[in-house]
Amino acid sequence: MRDYINNSYKFYIYFIKQDYNHPMKEKIKLLKKEISKQVIGHTEMVDALLIGLLTNGHILLEGVPGLAKTTAVNAISKALSLEFKRVQFTPDLLPSDIIGAEIYDVKSGEFKIKHGPLFTNLLLADEINRAPAKVQSALLEVMQERQVTIGDTSFQIENPFLVLATQNPLEQEGAYTLPEAQLDRFMFKIVVGYNTELEEFEIAKKVANEEFESIEAVLSKDDLERIKQEIKAVHVEDEITAYIVKLIFTTRESEYLKFGASPRATIDMLKAVKARAYLRGNDFVSPIDVALCAKDILRHRIILNYEAIAQGLSADEVIEKVLEAVDVP
């Protein structure tokens, strides 16, 4: 990210190093410490999950199996005393398997509502691209409206609520590509890579010796709501907001993109940078927070054109060009 840092905001760099004591800071540190008991490395993934949870966003994770995606969300649910459910998406999955259904009770002669796994705080939709479009679309209402309709009745989903969807980039046979409209509803797309050699050594040693510690609850739902309010109070200068808007507009004008990012990207970026600044210990947003969030916010919202594909450019490389094209305030 240093490529995006220049003299125009060395002022911000100075203040980023300062230690701001917001009331919940120690609990945030304690939360990350608890999560690290079972999740070794992957700090970017953990931060993204926390940002999504604290800003009511949803996360799409892309990575090969075995990279602690399920472990991470399970660890967060335990540390926050939240309910966690996992759904393995398969080609024969039905929408009712996710949202629930009306079931006829022979004894009473009436239909009763059976709630599906969507009625939880943290929902892991594992390998979401394995299920057909009608099942994927069952998530749309709950992701956007925080409610589920079963029969003629609508049910509100209890806060906090986070959908964490995973997809395997290796196997594409029998997979159903997520439509752009649904991709746009995810705040982040996180590309999860392998651990470092030292981290994998530590993982293997702990698994072999059964040395992973149990996780204790360190934050309550009330604490979570208090943190959300503190994040809303994080200051954003108009120049930073204009910078974000300019970045999004630049994606729509890029010579390498067929379609740029939607207005949802602007909204999600503004929410995400405030949470990112908060987790970094700051009470204001700086351009570096924007740079840290840009790829995760944009990589699933842009569509490369023939020119970019012909040059072998990836979505992340195009986003880097967008960052370089816009002057930093």
Side-chain angles (χ1 to χ4, degrees):
M1 293 299 174
R2 292 184 181 274
D3 293 340
Y4 308 125
I5 300 175
N6 57 29
N7 293 332
S8 63
Y9 62 93
K10 283 183 178 178
F11 174 79
Y12 290 101
I13 304 287
Y14 171 79
F15 278 101
I16 286 169
K17 297 178 181 178
Q18 306 308 304
D19 191 18
Y20 286 90
N21 292 312
H22 48 66
M24 303 300 292
K25 181 175 181 181
E26 292 305 317
K27 289 200 172 185
I28 290 289
K29 286 183 178 179
L30 192 57
L31 174 62
K32 289 187 175 183
K33 184 178 179 181
E34 285 298 312
I35 295 170
S36 67
K37 288 180 179 179
Q38 294 188 358
V39 181
I40 298 173
H42 296 306
T43 54
E44 290 184 4
M45 177 177 67
V46 172
D47 282 347
L49 294 176
L50 292 177
I51 290 172
L53 192 60
L54 295 171
T55 58
N56 297 321
H58 304 291
I59 312 294
L60 178 63
L61 292 179
E62 183 175 279
V64 298
L67 296 181
K69 298 184 290 291
T70 303
T71 302
V73 68
N74 194 21
I76 290 175
S77 68
K78 290 179 180 178
L80 295 173
S81 298
L82 299 177
E83 187 179 3
F84 164 61
K85 291 181 181 178
R86 175 181 178 273
V87 179
Q88 179 65 50
F89 277 58
T90 57
D92 60 348
L93 198 70
L94 298 174
S96 59
D97 296 328
I98 301 174
I99 65 175
E102 287 184 311
I103 298 177
Y104 183 72
D105 188 334
V106 178
K107 290 184 179 180
S108 64
E110 297 177 349
F111 283 95
K112 294 185 177 179
I113 300 293
K114 177 177 174 58
H115 289 171
L118 272 181
F119 290 85
T120 186
N121 298 126
L122 302 179
L123 175 68
L124 177 63
D126 210 0
E127 293 192 291
I128 189 174
N129 56 332
R130 292 291 179 194
K134 65 179 181 180
V135 179
Q136 296 173 3
S137 64
L139 287 174
L140 293 180
E141 181 185 16
V142 67
M143 288 175 64
Q144 185 66 27
E145 306 296 337
R146 296 296 202 280
Q147 70 174 21
V148 175
T149 301
I150 303 175
D152 297 328
T153 308
S154 294
F155 300 90
Q156 293 295 322
I157 300 296
E158 181 183 352
N159 282 322
F161 177 71
L162 172 68
V163 172
L164 171 68
T166 70
Q167 59 182 11
N168 185 348
L170 297 181
E171 301 172 358
Q172 297 304 319
E173 291 185 8
Y176 301 83
T177 304
L178 290 172
E180 284 74 15
Q182 185 165 344
L183 283 173
D184 198 36
R185 296 177 189 271
F186 288 98
M187 171 180 275
F188 283 159
K189 178 183 177 182
I190 308 298
V191 178
V192 185
Y194 291 106
N195 290 91
T196 65
E197 191 172 344
L198 288 176
E199 289 170 349
E200 194 153 335
F201 174 83
E202 186 179 354
I203 292 169
K205 189 176 178 180
K206 285 193 173 184
V207 171
N209 298 323
E210 298 182 351
E211 294 178 348
F212 281 106
E213 301 176 60
S214 59
I215 293 179
E216 299 179 1
V218 292
L219 266 77
S220 65
K221 289 185 180 180
D222 290 339
D223 291 331
L224 208 57
E225 289 302 316
R226 185 178 175 186
I227 292 173
K228 287 182 179 182
Q229 294 305 314
E230 291 184 1
I231 288 175
K232 290 180 180 179
V234 171
H235 180 69
V236 184
E237 290 284 351
D238 287 344
E239 289 82 357
I240 298 295
T241 303
Y243 176 51
I244 292 172
V245 173
K246 182 62 176 176
L247 284 174
I248 303 304
F249 266 78
T250 303
T251 66
R252 301 167 191 170
E253 301 165 354
S254 172
E255 61 179 307
Y256 298 108
L257 296 178
K258 185 177 180 181
F259 294 103
S262 74
R264 274 202 189 105
T266 308
I267 297 169
D268 283 347
M269 179 82 82
L270 192 56
K271 293 193 297 184
V273 296
K274 294 177 73 172
R276 175 72 71 178
Y278 183 90
L279 291 180
R280 283 156 45 80
N282 298 323
D283 59 358
F284 65 94
V285 173
S286 71
I288 198 170
D289 296 308
V290 179
L292 288 171
C293 291
K295 290 182 180 179
D296 295 338
I297 290 283
L298 296 175
R299 63 166 58 99
H300 57 298
R301 289 184 159 106
I302 58 177
I303 300 178
L304 304 183
N305 61 18
Y306 176 79
E307 181 69 22
I309 296 172
Q311 293 187 29
L313 297 176
S314 66
D316 284 4
E317 289 172 331
V318 173
I319 294 169
E320 288 177 2
K321 291 181 180 296
V322 170
L323 288 167
E324 292 168 359
V326 180
D327 292 333
V328 179

